[in-house]
Amino acid sequence: MKRSEVDRNKLSPMMQQYMEIKDNYQDELLFYRLGDFYELFFEDGLTASRELELTLTGRVAGLEERVPMCGVPHHTVKSYIEKLVNKGYRVAICEQLEDSKNTTGMVKRGVVDVFSKGTITDNDLLNEHDSSYIAGILFFDDTIILSIMDISTGYLASLMIPNDSEKLINEILNYKIKEVVLMDNLNTKLIDLLKNTYNIEITLSSKLLENKYTEIYDTVPDIRAKKGIMHLFYYLDNRQLKDLSFIDHVERIEKDNYLEMNIHTIRNLELVETLRLKERTYSLVWLLDKCKTAMGSRNLKNWLLNPLKDRKKIEERYDKIEKLNNEFILKDELRNALYEVYDIERLAGKIVNGSLNARDLLQLKRSLKVLPSIKDIIKKLDFSYEINTHFEVYELLEKSIDENPPISLKEGGLIKKGYNTELDELKEIRSGGKDFVAKFENEIKERTGIKNLKVGFNKVFGYFIEVPNGSKDLIKEEYGWYRKQTLTNCERYISPDLKEKESLILNAEEKIVELEYNLFCEIKNILKDEVIDFKKTATALSEIDALTSLAICSEEYNLVRPTLNENGVVNIKKGRHPVVEIVSKSEYVPNDCILEKETNTLLITGPNMSGKSTYMRQLAIIIIMAQIGSFVPAESAELSIFDKIFTRIGASDDLVSGESTFMVEMKEAQNAILGATEKSLILFDELGRGTATYDGMSLAQAILEYISENIHATTLFSTHYHELTKLEKKYRNIKNVHVSAIENNDTLTFLHKVKNGPADKSYGIHVAKLAKMPDKLLERATNILNDYEKNKKTTNDSQIQLSMAFVEETPKENILKDKISKIDPLNMTPIEALNYLYELKKEIE
């Protein structure tokens, strides 16, 4: 049965109300609150039962047949929401908006929250180490505006990039954006790529929120960026029902202020996750994250993805790390204090959006309790952070919130004794029912003189006064008692006073729950006014925590403070790859890396498994660590400040997009060639190996020559093409180095030491032997290799003679004309065109 096929006039009042609410949330799965359950009907019920593996039942709704329905208990709804959202569904929560006891007819209901991938605010459903971003995208002629927000923390930023789909995808993947809001569905290629390739939720919303939150828009000078914020805000405010009043500013991200790395570089260097398992463990952020707070962990990750280029700011972080290490006692005190701090950033977000409960407020209170201590330590360290202790808020929470509250807000037990007089009286009545009965009994005994009366209770009459038959004549009319029940040996009476107290006692529990909920909401509203200040405090604490983490790492991993320059010089003595060093079971072999203006390219040769890739990654990681303000793994390090890092390391097909190893290689090489400057770092690991030998070698040489002649970037280029080592003689900036190995009786030992000069051979068969290939196979490979080496010179001479004969018989002009006539420029990539032009130029010369 489908919702659209139903005659609404025949539906029950409850189901008619459901249909009206569902009309406004047709793209969401509507969780409709009925008592202690959330129920889903019609197509929503079918979908939820399938995706959540729930039993599909039916509900009587006034029709001849029951409508499809499934339901979940209200206290376990979070886990079901998480499952659906992760599968790409949106969920709307419909609650009762009034108490059924105070209402005649249907209880008013309405949607109070909407969940999607990019708008979850509950800490239980979020990764504490990662931000949770949603982004609005607006396209202009030459520009794309990316408006990025983490609704769980109130972080809002605007980013302007060139109108280039690859750059857009790169930023979306860099920020790990979970949901994208587009104006329309015209860009089908982009939508398909984001949704089906990268599993990013797509939302269409075409309106701007213009007359609300104008104080935020006014801080954005660029009209296009302002429209981007209005576009994102309309979706969040109108469709997601989010309160955005706790956003105090828009951060304008200037890409030129940071070391630029594309998503391939971030993955190749394993900054935040490993290449093979896509896990945080054994990544660089895993190694450096000694933070005591979730806020600090997220901030440190953000630093790693956005290293600085401002020398002054970098040096300031070095100074603070040095100060922390010198004041080691204060550093330990600071870490112990930070350990007591919960995620203030997300707690602040929950105060405004999300299911805030009393336990959240206890976490906030415990965090605020240590702020005076942290402020005092920061003052002693002479750091320029403003720490607001929020003393009044701490006092409020200390007086109000019970130390052991339930998770639910509708069970009572939230508020401490002494905070509210009315609540204390109700609790006294509830807990002191027996005391009241004894006290009341004594009072009326003295007042009436009836010493053998007693006050009792049963479920039929409630509280009553029981008087033996021998004493009932002592009851006077002025007492106002009236007979309720006659027994064999006594009479039972009820008095107005007793009835009043009975009502208080029996209704105390209900009133306590209602009053505690109202008091909690009052406290929550008071805290709303403090949210922006909480965010500022959280920002300061996250930076302090990240710096303290880097200080701990500098001692634990024997890191040194680097010296910075801006003249392109890199002089690293005994550098190390920090993750490999910690994880490796064998002793790590450190290596020097010296690069200058005159010699800015190292051509690295050596056998597989010898450590070429590690050596290349090591340089990039040392540079990144230096530019986030961290000390670095080396005996000493003088480093230039770089503007971009490009990498091609590792051989893997892009299976998701269906691109081969070679195509991925060429695209990443193209990114470097078109984007690098003389202040950039380029790392190319065995470029060209994805195609035929001569093709690969030719391209590798052409690319290396192009970089040397036109870009002048600092470059590490590893290769198995020994023919390329001759380039050292042609170009002054290229220097041959190799990773050494010792061959002894067909046994190969890797020394992992980088030395000057080219490697003498590749040792491929030796590596195959280490991989325990069959002996028969290895023997055959050796024989084939010997044949190739014997015939190599003859083959090369024959090729040269053939080539020369062809050149002599055909005029050069005709060759060039013939080549140019065959060019199809519309189907050539930029790098193909450059290589072709370069080859033609060489022929002319």
Side-chain angles (χ1 to χ4, degrees), residues 359 362 365-366 397-405 413-416:
R359 294 185 184 182
L362 279 184
K365 184 189 80 171
R366 289 164 188 161
L397 297 177
E398 175 64 21
K399 291 175 184 175
S400 60
I401 304 300
D402 192 271
E403 293 299 328
N404 293 294
L414 306 175
I415 306 297
K416 274 183 178 179

Side-chain angles (χ1 to χ4, degrees), residues 579-596:
V579 179
V580 176
E581 181 183 26
I582 294 302
V583 174
S584 177
K585 295 177 182 178
S586 57
E587 185 178 350
Y588 189 86
V589 179
N591 276 298
D592 298 346
C593 185
I594 301 171
L595 293 152
E596 299 171 345

Side-chain angles (χ1 to χ4, degrees), residues 625-843:
M625 288 177 66
Q627 289 187 219
I628 70 170
S630 169
F631 288 9
V632 299
E635 188 177 88
S636 66
E638 181 184 358
L639 300 169
S640 183
I641 294 176
F642 288 84
D643 63 353
K644 302 173 185 179
I645 297 179
F646 298 93
T647 67
R648 172 55 193 170
I649 300 175
S652 60
D653 293 4
D654 188 346
L655 298 177
V656 173
S657 60
E659 292 181 343
S660 68
T661 298
F662 186 64
M663 178 56 78
V664 173
E665 279 187 354
M666 291 300 101
K667 282 193 170 183
E668 292 182 16
Q670 181 203 36
N671 287 335
I673 288 169
L674 298 183
T677 71
E678 63 178 9
K679 291 187 175 181
S680 301
L681 174 68
I682 298 176
L683 305 179
F684 282 159
D685 185 20
E686 299 182 29
L687 200 66
R689 61 183 162 185
T691 187
T693 303
Y694 288 112
D695 279 354
M697 186 170 63
S698 303
L699 276 167
Q701 180 171 334
I703 289 169
L704 189 52
E705 289 179 351
Y706 186 89
I707 293 170
S708 296
E709 292 177 1
N710 300 282
I711 302 174
H712 313 296
T714 300
T715 305
L716 266 62
F717 198 108
S718 77
T719 185
H720 280 296
Y721 300 132
H722 289 272
E723 292 82 354
L724 299 187
T725 58
K726 66 186 178 183
L727 292 175
E728 182 183 52
K729 296 177 181 177
K730 183 177 179 181
Y731 295 95
R732 290 179 56 196
N733 69 301
I734 296 178
K735 180 181 178 182
N736 283 319
V737 296
H738 70 280
V739 186
S740 57
I742 294 176
E743 183 183 2
N744 185 18
N745 295 327
D746 291 333
T747 301
L748 190 64
T749 304
F750 298 119
L751 300 181
H752 304 294
K753 197 70 180 173
V754 177
K755 297 181 178 180
N756 292 331
D760 54 354
K761 55 193 295 189
S762 64
Y763 301 102
I765 294 176
H766 294 81
V767 174
K769 186 176 182 181
L770 288 174
K772 297 184 178 178
M773 286 284 191
D775 292 339
K776 191 173 182 180
L777 184 152
L778 293 172
E779 185 179 342
R780 174 61 180 152
T782 303
N783 293 333
I784 294 171
L785 177 63
N786 291 333
D787 289 340
Y788 276 136
E789 288 178 341
K790 286 177 186 176
N791 297 328
K792 186 176 179 183
K793 189 175 185 305
T794 308
T795 304
N796 287 344
D797 289 345
S798 301
Q799 287 174 341
I800 291 168
Q801 288 169 7
L802 278 170
S803 176
M804 290 300 293
F806 180 81
V807 170
E808 286 169 6
E809 290 175 9
T810 311
K812 288 184 179 180
E813 291 81 7
N814 293 345
I815 294 172
L816 293 175
K817 282 180 182 179
D818 187 50
K819 283 195 170 187
I820 292 170
S821 67
K822 293 178 181 177
I823 294 174
D824 183 3
L826 296 178
N827 289 316
M828 296 180 78
T829 65
I831 191 168
E832 287 172 344
L834 282 170
N835 286 330
Y836 209 97
L837 186 60
Y838 182 74
E839 290 297 328
L840 289 175
K841 183 185 174 187
K842 280 177 67 179
E843 288 201 30

Side-chain angles (χ1 to χ4, degrees), residues 67-95:
V67 302
M69 182 272 287
C70 71
V72 299
H74 76 95
H75 60 277
T76 60
V77 72
K78 282 184 182 179
S79 61
Y80 294 108
I81 291 172
E82 182 182 17
K83 286 180 184 177
L84 289 170
V85 167
N86 286 338
K87 291 185 175 187
Y89 294 97
R90 294 183 186 84
V91 174
I93 303 296
C94 179
E95 295 282 5

Side-chain angles (χ1 to χ4, degrees), residues 550-565:
L550 293 178
I552 292 295
C553 290
S554 70
E555 291 187 327
E556 191 171 324
Y557 304 136
N558 192 25
L559 311 181
V560 297
R561 177 173 180 158
T563 304
L564 300 180
N565 66 68

Side-chain angles (χ1 to χ4, degrees), residues 517-585:
Y517 178 76
N518 292 335
L519 290 171
F520 181 86
C521 291
E522 286 178 13
I523 294 165
K524 180 179 176 179
N525 287 332
I526 293 170
L527 295 183
K528 271 189 178 182
D529 296 333
E530 299 286 325
V531 163
I532 290 175
D533 286 337
F534 288 150
K535 286 173 60 183
K536 290 177 181 176
T537 301
T539 299
L541 291 175
S542 69
E543 288 194 18
I544 293 165
D545 196 15
L547 284 168
T548 307
S549 176
L550 293 178
I552 292 295
C553 290
S554 70
E555 291 187 327
E556 191 171 324
Y557 304 136
N558 192 25
L559 311 181
V560 297
R561 177 173 180 158
T563 304
L564 300 180
N565 66 68
E566 295 178 18
N567 56 18
V569 172
V570 172
N571 190 341
I572 299 170
K573 295 298 176 75
K574 294 188 177 180
R576 313 183 306 275
H577 189 302
V579 179
V580 176
E581 181 183 26
I582 294 302
V583 174
S584 177
K585 295 177 182 178

